[in-house]
């Protein structure tokens, strides 16, 4: 629990989030920690830790990212100058030109490729890692931020 809390506090999303969002996330983390203190069985504790790392952590990072103030647009004169030097496709509204924020997901949610039933050779490992690398890159290209 405290490792997740530290990772959230150290994240760029937290650094750029509004104070209200930071307070809300901190309150949620306190509630999760309190619930975990009351769990009597180890298997239930494991389920709670899994839920925290796989779902709650990415949700909190996404909430912090969503609260960050957006950069201000250029002044009218600067915008006109920029428009005059841009190609015809630049008539796309500015809101569509900005890069959409990435959605945080847990590393565990990325599908592990199935190349073989067992890794027995160096080539098996290389094939598996190449396939996994492609899965990770595909997730990033689809707008994901993979939390480790």
């Amino acid at each position: 629990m405290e490792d997740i809390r530290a990772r959230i506090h150290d994240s760029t999303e937290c650094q750029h989030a509004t104070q209200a969002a930071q307070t809300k996330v901190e309150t949620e983390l306190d509630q999760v920690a309190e619930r975990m203190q009351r769990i009597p069985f180890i298997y239930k504790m494991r389920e709670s830790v899994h839920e925290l790392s796989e779902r709650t952590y990415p949700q909190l990072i996404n909430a912090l990212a969503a609260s960050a103030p957006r950069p201000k647009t250029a002044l009218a004169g600067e915008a006109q100058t920029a428009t005059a030097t841009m190609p015809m496709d630049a008539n796309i509204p500015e809101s569509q030109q900005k890069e959409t924020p990435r959605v945080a997901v847990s590393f565990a949610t990325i599908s592990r490729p199935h190349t073989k039933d067992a890794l027995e050779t160096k080539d098996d490992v290389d094939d598996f890692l190449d396939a996994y690398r492609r899965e990770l890159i595909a997730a990033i290209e689809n707008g994901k931020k993979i939390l480790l």
Side-chain angles (χ1 to χ4, degrees):
M1 173 69 212
E2 292 308 314
D3 180 50
I4 297 286
R5 186 185 300 266
R7 284 195 255 163
I8 289 173
H9 287 174
D10 293 342
S11 71
T12 56
E13 291 84 0
C14 188
Q15 305 304 316
H16 294 102
T18 63
Q19 186 62 43
Q22 290 176 10
T23 301
K24 185 175 180 180
V25 164
E26 193 63 34
T27 300
E28 179 143 353
L29 288 170
D30 289 343
Q31 290 171 350
V32 169
E34 186 178 316
R35 281 193 305 269
M36 287 183 147
Q37 291 293 328
R38 292 180 279 159
I39 296 174
F41 301 110
I42 292 174
Y43 78 93
K44 286 287 191 185
M45 177 65 74
R46 286 186 181 145
E47 287 176 2
S48 294
V49 169
H50 177 76
E51 174 76 20
L52 175 65
S53 64
E54 305 272 329
R55 292 190 187 95
T56 307
Y57 174 39
Q59 288 171 351
L60 295 176
I61 290 291
N62 289 328
L64 289 168
S67 79
R70 303 287 179 234
K72 294 182 180 179
T73 58
L75 298 174
E78 293 171 349
Q80 289 174 351
T81 303
T83 303
T85 61
M86 291 183 168
M88 294 294 283
D89 291 356
N91 291 332
I92 299 170
E94 185 176 328
S95 62
Q96 292 178 357
Q97 290 180 11
K98 291 182 181 178
E99 185 177 319
T100 56
R102 295 195 174 276
V103 176
V105 296
S106 170
F107 177 78
T109 63
I110 304 301
S111 298
R112 187 174 64 193
H114 181 69
T115 56
K116 292 190 169 197
D117 290 334
L119 303 176
E120 300 179 271
T121 68
K122 181 180 181 266
D123 288 339
D124 291 347
V125 171
D126 288 340
D127 291 345
F128 174 77
L129 292 176
D130 286 342
Y132 216 159
R133 180 178 184 276
R134 287 189 300 273
E135 289 289 331
L136 294 168
I137 290 170
I140 290 168
E141 288 174 346
N142 287 321
K144 304 288 191 252
K145 175 181 180 171
I146 304 166
L147 301 174
L148 302 176

